[in-house]
Amino acid sequence: MPKQKTDDLLQLIVSLTRAEKRHFRLFVKRNQSSNDILFLQLFDHLDKHQEYDEPTLLKKIPEIKKSQLSNLKAHLYKQLLTSLRLLSKNYNEDIEIREAIDYARVLYNKGLYQQALDILDKAKQKARQSKFDTLTLEILEFEKRIEGQYVTGSMEGRADALSLEATELTELLHKTNQYSNLSLQMYALYLKVGYVRNEKEYDFARETFEGQLPQADYHQLDFWSKVYHSKAHYWYHHMRQEFPQCYRYSERWLTLFSESPESISLHPVEYLKGLHKLLNALFNTLQYQRFCEIMKMLEAFPTHYDISKNKNIEGLYYLFWYIHQIKFHFLQGTFTEGIVLVKPLMKIIEEETYYWDNRRILVFYYRIACLYFGSGNNSKAIDYLNLIINQKNPDYREDIQSFARILNLIAHFELGNRQLVEYQVKSVYRFLAKQEELNEVQKEIFYFIRKTPRIRTDELQAEFKRLKETLSSLEGKPFVRRPFLYLDIISWLESKMEGIPVQEVIRRKFLARQEKAQQQK
């Protein structure tokens, strides 16, 4: 068995829960003694040692010959998947529906056409109720195949009814695929560049979006078309920094599940993503009270859905939970309190508990660095920024890579490392110029940092004030305001001017917004 396949087998075994391991052993032993099953002995060995050491394995289990290993590992992998499939069908309705299709196929092969049709009809009703449209179409095609060979005569117009049903569903799926393709393309573009940086990218996003946007009345769409319609619009407006529109479409996304509560347990991934996008939009529009309300909905999710049964759902839940717990502290200006999240979060990342992708981990490093920077611990901020800066040729989230370098300069400036700052300014400038990242805000920051080694202490306050006034005038400009989404540079400058920690400035602004909101009620 090739090394990659061996690694896959070991990774699968390590990922198993205690209940899944118990089920597998019962599944294997159902008809035979475990002492006679070599692949179960192999499983027990790998489960115990959590690593693949072939010489040790052959020594510990002499019944296994070296020539057998490749086939034995492949068989074990297949048996594990079969066991997991059996266990998963109890809480994955789509697996149960596919099983019914398989049973119908077996009956069809035996020539028991009416029995096959009975099973398919029940499966089709369940698939329709659960909004598994592709499975519904697969069942319809199977029904048409049987009816074309075995005419029941039990339903007048059966052929016409099946043909019409299949046509309508095909058109519906075509529309859904158009929206899902557009949503995926918008997401891929965002992963590449983040927020649009200039008018050229702004227009490119618009042309890409409008060129592929289906012309349809939203209210006439089905559930999934509406979900993907909302997702596509969310990503489009998000990368263009049009956050009120992001709020509109993420709210619409979540409303679809509120109006169809049974869809939450059937499609928990899309529900969690809807909560996540709405929280992002609320954070970017500074709607604190509504943010807290939706955060409670996210935190309540495990009380309604047993996330321990599904590693993917569990990983997604904790991914979003940590993202928005950190943002909660960003909103409030409670950076020091937020540091408590770092240790358990890093444990998940380092142990690869949920196999989060590198892009998400990169963003977490940046957010952790911001927590430490906001709390005044610049050395720790630099440690996490270096985890981003020292990555070898990553081809994703150029925005995070760029702003990590800017924040790194500011953190070194705070520590008084003037010579190091002077040296790094040039390399960071070259990096940003190569990435086409340099805009007016960044140029002003570079101009300030580059001349700091020559500024007298008694002149610093005036320079801080000058930079703040310049940046404040740029904050409302399209494209130019992008840096403020990654780093609250204005609050940092105010903290330097007043001689207080940056989190105190941000906290003060938060309390002022809260007081204003109360007065407007």
Side-chain angles (χ1 to χ4, degrees):
M1 193 175 186
K3 185 177 186 302
Q4 179 60 46
K5 294 295 184 182
T6 301
D7 292 342
D8 290 346
L9 172 62
L10 189 59
Q11 189 178 47
L12 177 60
I13 292 173
V14 170
S15 75
L16 296 177
T17 64
R18 185 176 299 178
E20 288 168 342
K21 291 174 185 177
R22 179 176 178 275
H23 182 271
F24 176 67
R25 291 189 174 94
L26 292 173
F27 166 73
V28 171
K29 297 175 186 177
R30 65 197 184 281
N31 290 322
Q32 47 196 316
S33 169
S34 62
N35 294 328
D36 299 329
I37 308 171
L38 289 180
F39 73 81
L40 182 58
Q41 294 181 54
L42 173 62
F43 170 78
D44 289 333
H45 177 86
L46 294 175
D47 181 36
K48 179 180 178 181
H49 295 280
Q50 302 281 293
E51 64 179 5
Y52 183 76
D53 183 343
E54 192 168 295
T56 302
L57 189 155
L58 294 172
K59 183 178 179 181
K60 291 284 185 181
I61 315 176
E63 295 87 350
I64 297 178
K65 307 304 178 187
K66 185 177 176 66
S67 59
Q68 296 177 289
L69 263 177
S70 180
N71 289 337
L72 205 58
K73 287 185 288 186
H75 185 58
L76 173 57
Y77 190 81
K78 184 177 180 180
Q79 290 296 311
L80 281 168
L81 291 179
T82 302
S83 172
L84 288 171
R85 183 183 183 279
L86 286 171
L87 187 61
S88 298
K89 78 170 186 176
N90 297 325
Y91 44 87
N92 284 274
E93 202 156 324
D94 53 332
I95 293 179
E96 188 177 350
I97 294 168
R98 288 190 187 94
E99 184 179 62
I101 298 173
D102 293 340
Y103 289 155
R105 177 71 191 195
V106 170
L107 293 169
Y108 169 77
N109 289 344
K110 293 186 71 64
L112 301 173
Y113 305 126
Q114 189 58 57
Q115 292 184 44
L117 286 170
D118 291 342
I119 287 179
L120 288 174
D121 186 60
K122 292 176 183 178
K124 184 172 66 176
Q125 300 310 316
K126 186 172 288 188
R128 278 199 176 282
Q129 291 169 6
S130 303
K131 300 181 176 65
F132 292 117
D133 296 331
T134 52
L135 284 177
T136 305
L137 183 60
E138 183 180 346
I139 293 168
L140 275 168
E141 291 301 320
F142 199 173
E143 286 181 309
K144 286 161 61 179
R145 189 186 318 159
I146 297 174
E147 289 290 353
Q149 182 173 335
Y150 172 71
V151 180
T152 62
S154 60
M155 183 186 294
E156 187 177 351
R158 172 76 168 160
D160 289 340
L162 284 175
S163 297
L164 179 61
E165 199 174 359
T167 299
E168 290 176 348
L169 190 56
T170 301
E171 291 174 356
L172 182 151
L173 283 170
H174 175 66
K175 188 71 68 179
T176 300
N177 284 332
Q178 285 181 307
Y179 283 116
S180 65
N181 290 341
L182 178 58
S183 170
L184 187 63
Q185 287 199 338
M186 291 294 102
Y187 179 54
L189 184 59
Y190 175 70
L191 289 186
K192 176 64 178 174
V193 300
Y195 299 113
V196 295
R197 296 169 286 191
N198 48 53
E199 191 170 351
K200 180 181 177 182
E201 289 185 352
Y202 186 87
D203 290 339
F204 176 74
R206 177 181 54 78
E207 290 166 6
T208 302
F209 182 77
E210 292 181 354
Q212 299 184 47
L213 179 65
Q215 298 301 312
D217 181 355
Y218 174 82
H219 299 289
Q220 299 301 316
L221 300 176
D222 74 303
F223 177 84
W224 282 115
S225 292
K226 287 180 178 179
V227 169
Y228 287 118
H229 176 281
S230 300
K231 289 176 72 171
H233 280 80
Y234 173 89
W235 284 118
Y236 171 62
H237 292 295
H238 184 70
M239 72 174 66
R240 285 160 52 110
Q241 306 168 47
E242 297 162 345
F243 300 124
Q245 289 290 77
C246 292
Y247 171 73
R248 174 190 176 190
Y249 285 102
S250 55
E251 186 78 79
R252 180 183 286 183
W253 180 347
L254 196 61
T255 299
L256 290 169
F257 285 91
S258 301
E259 293 174 348
S260 179
E262 70 280 0
S263 298
I264 297 175
S265 59
L266 289 169
H267 308 286
V269 169
E270 293 304 327
Y271 173 70
L272 284 174
K273 286 182 178 179
L275 287 172
H276 169 55
K277 300 310 178 194
L278 182 52
L279 284 166
N280 277 341
L282 293 167
F283 174 80
N284 287 324
T285 52
L286 301 177
Q287 297 186 58
Y288 176 73
Q289 293 301 330
R290 181 67 172 145
F291 182 93
C292 292
E293 291 172 12
I294 301 302
M295 193 66 193
K296 287 179 181 177
M297 290 175 63
L298 176 63
E299 292 176 335
F301 180 74
T303 65
H304 306 303
Y305 184 96
D306 187 357
I307 62 175
S308 65
K309 292 180 180 178
N310 190 315
K311 194 85 166 183
N312 176 49
I313 304 299
E314 185 180 61
L316 205 60
Y317 170 77
Y318 283 112
L319 173 72
F320 296 156
W321 187 86
Y322 275 106
I323 287 172
H324 298 296
Q325 280 292 329
I326 292 174
K327 288 187 173 182
F328 179 75
H329 290 290
F330 286 176
L331 275 175
Q332 289 189 316
T334 51
F335 293 86
T336 300
E337 289 87 337
I339 296 300
V340 71
L341 297 167
V342 175
K343 187 175 180 180
L345 174 57
M346 286 305 299
K347 186 174 185 291
I348 289 173
I349 291 173
E350 290 167 358
E351 294 181 359
E352 297 185 342
T353 307
Y354 299 117
Y355 309 113
W356 290 338
D357 61 83
N358 289 333
R359 184 195 69 83
R360 296 195 184 279
I361 292 171
L362 191 82
V363 177
F364 269 132
Y365 289 156
Y366 185 77
R367 288 178 177 140
I368 292 171
C370 288
L371 277 177
Y372 279 114
F373 177 77
S375 69
N377 192 336
N378 293 288
S379 295
K380 289 294 290 184
I382 289 169
D383 289 342
Y384 283 94
L385 293 169
N386 282 335
L387 292 175
I388 302 170
I389 295 168
N390 295 332
Q391 288 205 4
K392 293 182 178 179
N393 304 318
D395 59 352
Y396 46 82
R397 290 311 297 262
E398 295 171 356
D399 53 339
I400 292 295
Q401 297 171 50
S402 299
F403 285 97
R405 286 164 169 78
I406 294 173
L407 184 56
N408 188 54
L409 284 177
I410 294 173
H412 277 297
F413 170 78
E414 285 280 56
L415 289 172
N417 301 330
R418 297 198 170 192
Q419 287 186 332
L420 184 60
V421 168
E422 193 172 8
Y423 169 77
Q424 287 191 347
V425 162
K426 296 177 183 178
S427 63
V428 174
Y429 189 93
R430 285 195 299 270
F431 177 88
L432 295 180
K434 184 179 179 181
Q435 300 293 327
E436 299 181 355
E437 275 281 341
L438 221 52
N439 64 24
E440 292 178 67
V441 173
Q442 292 155 334
K443 288 178 181 177
E444 288 295 333
I445 295 172
F446 275 121
Y447 176 71
F448 168 78
I449 292 176
R450 187 173 57 197
K451 68 179 183 179
T452 51
R454 300 186 298 275
I455 300 175
R456 297 199 312 266
T457 304
D458 60 336
E459 295 176 339
L460 266 177
Q461 286 296 318
E463 288 297 325
F464 285 133
K465 184 178 179 181
R466 183 202 65 79
L467 180 59
K468 177 182 177 293
E469 290 173 352
T470 302
L471 295 184
S472 295
S473 67
L474 296 173
E475 195 171 7
K477 285 188 175 183
F479 316 126
V480 176
R481 67 185 177 213
R482 184 167 174 261
F484 299 103
L485 301 172
Y486 298 89
L487 177 64
D488 192 347
I489 188 71
I490 300 292
S491 293
W492 173 69
L493 289 169
E494 290 174 358
S495 76
K496 301 304 294 180
M497 292 165 61
E498 297 179 38
I500 59 176
V502 65
Q503 67 179 336
E504 286 189 24
V505 175
I506 296 173
R507 178 69 178 171
R508 185 177 64 199
K509 291 179 179 180
F510 164 75
L511 294 174
R513 286 196 304 271
Q514 292 306 106
E515 184 178 352
K516 183 178 179 181
Q518 287 295 325
Q519 291 173 353
Q520 292 175 345
K521 285 185 177 180

mmCIF file with all atom_site columns, all heavy atoms in Angstrom, residues 98-113:
data_model
loop_
_atom_site.group_PDB
_atom_site.id
_atom_site.type_symbol
_atom_site.label_atom_id
_atom_site.label_alt_id
_atom_site.label_comp_id
_atom_site.label_asym_id
_atom_site.label_entity_id
_atom_site.label_seq_id
_atom_site.pdbx_PDB_ins_code
_atom_site.Cartn_x
_atom_site.Cartn_y
_atom_site.Cartn_z
_atom_site.occupancy
_atom_site.B_iso_or_equiv
_atom_site.pdbx_formal_charge
_atom_site.auth_seq_id
_atom_site.auth_comp_id
_atom_site.auth_asym_id
_atom_site.auth_atom_id
_atom_site.pdbx_PDB_model_num
ATOM 1   N N   . ARG A 1 98  ? -29.707 7.163   0.081   1.00 0.00 ? 98  ARG A N   1
ATOM 2   C CA  . ARG A 1 98  ? -28.840 6.452   -0.869  1.00 0.00 ? 98  ARG A CA  1
ATOM 3   C C   . ARG A 1 98  ? -28.910 4.944   -0.641  1.00 0.00 ? 98  ARG A C   1
ATOM 4   O O   . ARG A 1 98  ? -28.844 4.154   -1.588  1.00 0.00 ? 98  ARG A O   1
ATOM 5   C CB  . ARG A 1 98  ? -27.394 6.938   -0.733  1.00 0.00 ? 98  ARG A CB  1
ATOM 6   C CG  . ARG A 1 98  ? -27.158 8.333   -1.261  1.00 0.00 ? 98  ARG A CG  1
ATOM 7   C CD  . ARG A 1 98  ? -25.676 8.667   -1.331  1.00 0.00 ? 98  ARG A CD  1
ATOM 8   N NE  . ARG A 1 98  ? -25.470 10.055  -1.674  1.00 0.00 ? 98  ARG A NE  1
ATOM 9   C CZ  . ARG A 1 98  ? -25.291 11.022  -0.783  1.00 0.00 ? 98  ARG A CZ  1
ATOM 10  N NH1 . ARG A 1 98  ? -25.286 10.738  0.514   1.00 0.00 ? 98  ARG A NH1 1
ATOM 11  N NH2 . ARG A 1 98  ? -25.107 12.270  -1.167  1.00 0.00 ? 98  ARG A NH2 1
ATOM 12  N N   . GLU A 1 99  ? -29.015 4.552   0.619   1.00 0.00 ? 99  GLU A N   1
ATOM 13  C CA  . GLU A 1 99  ? -29.141 3.128   0.921   1.00 0.00 ? 99  GLU A CA  1
ATOM 14  C C   . GLU A 1 99  ? -30.416 2.560   0.299   1.00 0.00 ? 99  GLU A C   1
ATOM 15  O O   . GLU A 1 99  ? -30.418 1.456   -0.246  1.00 0.00 ? 99  GLU A O   1
ATOM 16  C CB  . GLU A 1 99  ? -29.157 2.911   2.436   1.00 0.00 ? 99  GLU A CB  1
ATOM 17  C CG  . GLU A 1 99  ? -29.179 1.440   2.835   1.00 0.00 ? 99  GLU A CG  1
ATOM 18  C CD  . GLU A 1 99  ? -29.180 1.262   4.347   1.00 0.00 ? 99  GLU A CD  1
ATOM 19  O OE1 . GLU A 1 99  ? -30.151 1.723   4.991   1.00 0.00 ? 99  GLU A OE1 1
ATOM 20  O OE2 . GLU A 1 99  ? -28.232 0.667   4.866   1.00 0.00 ? 99  GLU A OE2 1
ATOM 21  N N   . ALA A 1 100 ? -31.514 3.337   0.368   1.00 0.00 ? 100 ALA A N   1
ATOM 22  C CA  . ALA A 1 100 ? -32.775 2.906   -0.240  1.00 0.00 ? 100 ALA A CA  1
ATOM 23  C C   . ALA A 1 100 ? -32.613 2.754   -1.754  1.00 0.00 ? 100 ALA A C   1
ATOM 24  O O   . ALA A 1 100 ? -33.147 1.804   -2.356  1.00 0.00 ? 100 ALA A O   1
ATOM 25  C CB  . ALA A 1 100 ? -33.879 3.907   0.083   1.00 0.00 ? 100 ALA A CB  1
ATOM 26  N N   . ILE A 1 101 ? -31.868 3.670   -2.373  1.00 0.00 ? 101 ILE A N   1
ATOM 27  C CA  . ILE A 1 101 ? -31.610 3.571   -3.821  1.00 0.00 ? 101 ILE A CA  1
ATOM 28  C C   . ILE A 1 101 ? -30.825 2.289   -4.124  1.00 0.00 ? 101 ILE A C   1
ATOM 29  O O   . ILE A 1 101 ? -31.108 1.590   -5.101  1.00 0.00 ? 101 ILE A O   1
ATOM 30  C CB  . ILE A 1 101 ? -30.843 4.812   -4.320  1.00 0.00 ? 101 ILE A CB  1
ATOM 31  C CG1 . ILE A 1 101 ? -31.679 6.086   -4.114  1.00 0.00 ? 101 ILE A CG1 1
ATOM 32  C CG2 . ILE A 1 101 ? -30.465 4.659   -5.790  1.00 0.00 ? 101 ILE A CG2 1
ATOM 33  C CD1 . ILE A 1 101 ? -30.936 7.371   -4.412  1.00 0.00 ? 101 ILE A CD1 1
ATOM 34  N N   . ASP A 1 102 ? -29.859 1.964   -3.261  1.00 0.00 ? 102 ASP A N   1
ATOM 35  C CA  . ASP A 1 102 ? -29.074 0.739   -3.441  1.00 0.00 ? 102 ASP A CA  1
ATOM 36  C C   . ASP A 1 102 ? -29.966 -0.499  -3.326  1.00 0.00 ? 102 ASP A C   1
ATOM 37  O O   . ASP A 1 102 ? -29.827 -1.453  -4.108  1.00 0.00 ? 102 ASP A O   1
ATOM 38  C CB  . ASP A 1 102 ? -27.945 0.670   -2.412  1.00 0.00 ? 102 ASP A CB  1
ATOM 39  C CG  . ASP A 1 102 ? -26.891 1.747   -2.618  1.00 0.00 ? 102 ASP A CG  1
ATOM 40  O OD1 . ASP A 1 102 ? -26.826 2.291   -3.738  1.00 0.00 ? 102 ASP A OD1 1
ATOM 41  O OD2 . ASP A 1 102 ? -26.148 2.043   -1.673  1.00 0.00 ? 102 ASP A OD2 1
ATOM 42  N N   . TYR A 1 103 ? -30.867 -0.481  -2.344  1.00 0.00 ? 103 TYR A N   1
ATOM 43  C CA  . TYR A 1 103 ? -31.785 -1.614  -2.185  1.00 0.00 ? 103 TYR A CA  1
ATOM 44  C C   . TYR A 1 103 ? -32.668 -1.761  -3.424  1.00 0.00 ? 103 TYR A C   1
ATOM 45  O O   . TYR A 1 103 ? -32.930 -2.883  -3.887  1.00 0.00 ? 103 TYR A O   1
ATOM 46  C CB  . TYR A 1 103 ? -32.669 -1.412  -0.954  1.00 0.00 ? 103 TYR A CB  1
ATOM 47  C CG  . TYR A 1 103 ? -31.946 -1.543  0.371   1.00 0.00 ? 103 TYR A CG  1
ATOM 48  C CD1 . TYR A 1 103 ? -32.430 -0.909  1.511   1.00 0.00 ? 103 TYR A CD1 1
ATOM 49  C CD2 . TYR A 1 103 ? -30.782 -2.303  0.494   1.00 0.00 ? 103 TYR A CD2 1
ATOM 50  C CE1 . TYR A 1 103 ? -31.780 -1.009  2.729   1.00 0.00 ? 103 TYR A CE1 1
ATOM 51  C CE2 . TYR A 1 103 ? -30.119 -2.411  1.700   1.00 0.00 ? 103 TYR A CE2 1
ATOM 52  C CZ  . TYR A 1 103 ? -30.623 -1.760  2.826   1.00 0.00 ? 103 TYR A CZ  1
ATOM 53  O OH  . TYR A 1 103 ? -29.974 -1.865  4.022   1.00 0.00 ? 103 TYR A OH  1
ATOM 54  N N   . ALA A 1 104 ? -33.142 -0.640  -3.941  1.00 0.00 ? 104 ALA A N   1
ATOM 55  C CA  . ALA A 1 104 ? -33.981 -0.675  -5.144  1.00 0.00 ? 104 ALA A CA  1
ATOM 56  C C   . ALA A 1 104 ? -33.201 -1.259  -6.316  1.00 0.00 ? 104 ALA A C   1
ATOM 57  O O   . ALA A 1 104 ? -33.756 -2.004  -7.143  1.00 0.00 ? 104 ALA A O   1
ATOM 58  C CB  . ALA A 1 104 ? -34.474 0.728   -5.472  1.00 0.00 ? 104 ALA A CB  1
ATOM 59  N N   . ARG A 1 105 ? -31.920 -0.923  -6.398  1.00 0.00 ? 105 ARG A N   1
ATOM 60  C CA  . ARG A 1 105 ? -31.079 -1.452  -7.477  1.00 0.00 ? 105 ARG A CA  1
ATOM 61  C C   . ARG A 1 105 ? -30.957 -2.972  -7.375  1.00 0.00 ? 105 ARG A C   1
ATOM 62  O O   . ARG A 1 105 ? -31.031 -3.690  -8.389  1.00 0.00 ? 105 ARG A O   1
ATOM 63  C CB  . ARG A 1 105 ? -29.691 -0.811  -7.401  1.00 0.00 ? 105 ARG A CB  1
ATOM 64  C CG  . ARG A 1 105 ? -28.699 -1.328  -8.428  1.00 0.00 ? 105 ARG A CG  1
ATOM 65  C CD  . ARG A 1 105 ? -29.040 -0.865  -9.809  1.00 0.00 ? 105 ARG A CD  1
ATOM 66  N NE  . ARG A 1 105 ? -28.263 -1.558  -10.808 1.00 0.00 ? 105 ARG A NE  1
ATOM 67  C CZ  . ARG A 1 105 ? -28.134 -1.168  -12.066 1.00 0.00 ? 105 ARG A CZ  1
ATOM 68  N NH1 . ARG A 1 105 ? -28.740 -0.075  -12.470 1.00 0.00 ? 105 ARG A NH1 1
ATOM 69  N NH2 . ARG A 1 105 ? -27.416 -1.863  -12.919 1.00 0.00 ? 105 ARG A NH2 1
ATOM 70  N N   . VAL A 1 106 ? -30.782 -3.462  -6.145  1.00 0.00 ? 106 VAL A N   1
ATOM 71  C CA  . VAL A 1 106 ? -30.674 -4.909  -5.936  1.00 0.00 ? 106 VAL A CA  1
ATOM 72  C C   . VAL A 1 106 ? -31.963 -5.603  -6.378  1.00 0.00 ? 106 VAL A C   1
ATOM 73  O O   . VAL A 1 106 ? -31.936 -6.634  -7.071  1.00 0.00 ? 106 VAL A O   1
ATOM 74  C CB  . VAL A 1 106 ? -30.385 -5.213  -4.452  1.00 0.00 ? 106 VAL A CB  1
ATOM 75  C CG1 . VAL A 1 106 ? -30.509 -6.709  -4.174  1.00 0.00 ? 106 VAL A CG1 1
ATOM 76  C CG2 . VAL A 1 106 ? -28.991 -4.723  -4.067  1.00 0.00 ? 106 VAL A CG2 1
ATOM 77  N N   . LEU A 1 107 ? -33.116 -5.041  -5.980  1.00 0.00 ? 107 LEU A N   1
ATOM 78  C CA  . LEU A 1 107 ? -34.406 -5.610  -6.365  1.00 0.00 ? 107 LEU A CA  1
ATOM 79  C C   . LEU A 1 107 ? -34.622 -5.541  -7.879  1.00 0.00 ? 107 LEU A C   1
ATOM 80  O O   . LEU A 1 107 ? -35.154 -6.461  -8.498  1.00 0.00 ? 107 LEU A O   1
ATOM 81  C CB  . LEU A 1 107 ? -35.535 -4.879  -5.631  1.00 0.00 ? 107 LEU A CB  1
ATOM 82  C CG  . LEU A 1 107 ? -35.579 -5.093  -4.117  1.00 0.00 ? 107 LEU A CG  1
ATOM 83  C CD1 . LEU A 1 107 ? -36.550 -4.107  -3.472  1.00 0.00 ? 107 LEU A CD1 1
ATOM 84  C CD2 . LEU A 1 107 ? -35.979 -6.533  -3.778  1.00 0.00 ? 107 LEU A CD2 1
ATOM 85  N N   . TYR A 1 108 ? -34.200 -4.440  -8.478  1.00 0.00 ? 108 TYR A N   1
ATOM 86  C CA  . TYR A 1 108 ? -34.309 -4.269  -9.933  1.00 0.00 ? 108 TYR A CA  1
ATOM 87  C C   . TYR A 1 108 ? -33.497 -5.340  -10.657 1.00 0.00 ? 108 TYR A C   1
ATOM 88  O O   . TYR A 1 108 ? -33.950 -5.937  -11.637 1.00 0.00 ? 108 TYR A O   1
ATOM 89  C CB  . TYR A 1 108 ? -33.820 -2.875  -10.307 1.00 0.00 ? 108 TYR A CB  1
ATOM 90  C CG  . TYR A 1 108 ? -33.630 -2.636  -11.782 1.00 0.00 ? 108 TYR A CG  1
ATOM 91  C CD1 . TYR A 1 108 ? -34.720 -2.418  -12.619 1.00 0.00 ? 108 TYR A CD1 1
ATOM 92  C CD2 . TYR A 1 108 ? -32.346 -2.619  -12.342 1.00 0.00 ? 108 TYR A CD2 1
ATOM 93  C CE1 . TYR A 1 108 ? -34.546 -2.200  -13.982 1.00 0.00 ? 108 TYR A CE1 1
ATOM 94  C CE2 . TYR A 1 108 ? -32.157 -2.400  -13.699 1.00 0.00 ? 108 TYR A CE2 1
ATOM 95  C CZ  . TYR A 1 108 ? -33.258 -2.192  -14.513 1.00 0.00 ? 108 TYR A CZ  1
ATOM 96  O OH  . TYR A 1 108 ? -33.084 -1.975  -15.860 1.00 0.00 ? 108 TYR A OH  1
ATOM 97  N N   . ASN A 1 109 ? -32.277 -5.596  -10.155 1.00 0.00 ? 109 ASN A N   1
ATOM 98  C CA  . ASN A 1 109 ? -31.419 -6.606  -10.777 1.00 0.00 ? 109 ASN A CA  1
ATOM 99  C C   . ASN A 1 109 ? -32.042 -8.005  -10.696 1.00 0.00 ? 109 ASN A C   1
ATOM 100 O O   . ASN A 1 109 ? -31.761 -8.864  -11.536 1.00 0.00 ? 109 ASN A O   1
ATOM 101 C CB  . ASN A 1 109 ? -30.046 -6.615  -10.111 1.00 0.00 ? 109 ASN A CB  1
ATOM 102 C CG  . ASN A 1 109 ? -29.231 -5.382  -10.456 1.00 0.00 ? 109 ASN A CG  1
ATOM 103 O OD1 . ASN A 1 109 ? -29.547 -4.667  -11.411 1.00 0.00 ? 109 ASN A OD1 1
ATOM 104 N ND2 . ASN A 1 109 ? -28.186 -5.117  -9.691  1.00 0.00 ? 109 ASN A ND2 1
ATOM 105 N N   . LYS A 1 110 ? -32.878 -8.234  -9.691  1.00 0.00 ? 110 LYS A N   1
ATOM 106 C CA  . LYS A 1 110 ? -33.541 -9.522  -9.538  1.00 0.00 ? 110 LYS A CA  1
ATOM 107 C C   . LYS A 1 110 ? -34.862 -9.578  -10.299 1.00 0.00 ? 110 LYS A C   1
ATOM 108 O O   . LYS A 1 110 ? -35.583 -10.585 -10.251 1.00 0.00 ? 110 LYS A O   1
ATOM 109 C CB  . LYS A 1 110 ? -33.779 -9.822  -8.053  1.00 0.00 ? 110 LYS A CB  1
ATOM 110 C CG  . LYS A 1 110 ? -32.495 -10.040 -7.258  1.00 0.00 ? 110 LYS A CG  1
ATOM 111 C CD  . LYS A 1 110 ? -32.775 -10.469 -5.842  1.00 0.00 ? 110 LYS A CD  1
ATOM 112 C CE  . LYS A 1 110 ? -33.319 -11.897 -5.800  1.00 0.00 ? 110 LYS A CE  1
ATOM 113 N NZ  . LYS A 1 110 ? -32.363 -12.916 -6.288  1.00 0.00 ? 110 LYS A NZ  1
ATOM 114 N N   . GLY A 1 111 ? -35.210 -8.481  -10.970 1.00 0.00 ? 111 GLY A N   1
ATOM 115 C CA  . GLY A 1 111 ? -36.433 -8.454  -11.747 1.00 0.00 ? 111 GLY A CA  1
ATOM 116 C C   . GLY A 1 111 ? -37.669 -8.149  -10.923 1.00 0.00 ? 111 GLY A C   1
ATOM 117 O O   . GLY A 1 111 ? -38.796 -8.268  -11.419 1.00 0.00 ? 111 GLY A O   1
ATOM 118 N N   . LEU A 1 112 ? -37.487 -7.722  -9.661  1.00 0.00 ? 112 LEU A N   1
ATOM 119 C CA  . LEU A 1 112 ? -38.618 -7.401  -8.784  1.00 0.00 ? 112 LEU A CA  1
ATOM 120 C C   . LEU A 1 112 ? -38.931 -5.912  -8.924  1.00 0.00 ? 112 LEU A C   1
ATOM 121 O O   . LEU A 1 112 ? -38.683 -5.098  -8.029  1.00 0.00 ? 112 LEU A O   1
ATOM 122 C CB  . LEU A 1 112 ? -38.274 -7.777  -7.338  1.00 0.00 ? 112 LEU A CB  1
ATOM 123 C CG  . LEU A 1 112 ? -37.930 -9.260  -7.123  1.00 0.00 ? 112 LEU A CG  1
ATOM 124 C CD1 . LEU A 1 112 ? -37.433 -9.508  -5.708  1.00 0.00 ? 112 LEU A CD1 1
ATOM 125 C CD2 . LEU A 1 112 ? -39.143 -10.131 -7.434  1.00 0.00 ? 112 LEU A CD2 1
ATOM 126 N N   . TYR A 1 113 ? -39.470 -5.519  -10.062 1.00 0.00 ? 113 TYR A N   1
ATOM 127 C CA  . TYR A 1 113 ? -39.618 -4.119  -10.429 1.00 0.00 ? 113 TYR A CA  1
ATOM 128 C C   . TYR A 1 113 ? -40.592 -3.362  -9.521  1.00 0.00 ? 113 TYR A C   1
ATOM 129 O O   . TYR A 1 113 ? -40.326 -2.228  -9.137  1.00 0.00 ? 113 TYR A O   1
ATOM 130 C CB  . TYR A 1 113 ? -40.085 -4.022  -11.896 1.00 0.00 ? 113 TYR A CB  1
ATOM 131 C CG  . TYR A 1 113 ? -39.180 -4.747  -12.860 1.00 0.00 ? 113 TYR A CG  1
ATOM 132 C CD1 . TYR A 1 113 ? -39.695 -5.712  -13.735 1.00 0.00 ? 113 TYR A CD1 1
ATOM 133 C CD2 . TYR A 1 113 ? -37.813 -4.487  -12.898 1.00 0.00 ? 113 TYR A CD2 1
ATOM 134 C CE1 . TYR A 1 113 ? -38.881 -6.380  -14.625 1.00 0.00 ? 113 TYR A CE1 1
ATOM 135 C CE2 . TYR A 1 113 ? -36.982 -5.158  -13.786 1.00 0.00 ? 113 TYR A CE2 1
ATOM 136 C CZ  . TYR A 1 113 ? -37.520 -6.102  -14.637 1.00 0.00 ? 113 TYR A CZ  1
ATOM 137 O OH  . TYR A 1 113 ? -36.706 -6.766  -15.513 1.00 0.00 ? 113 TYR A OH  1
#
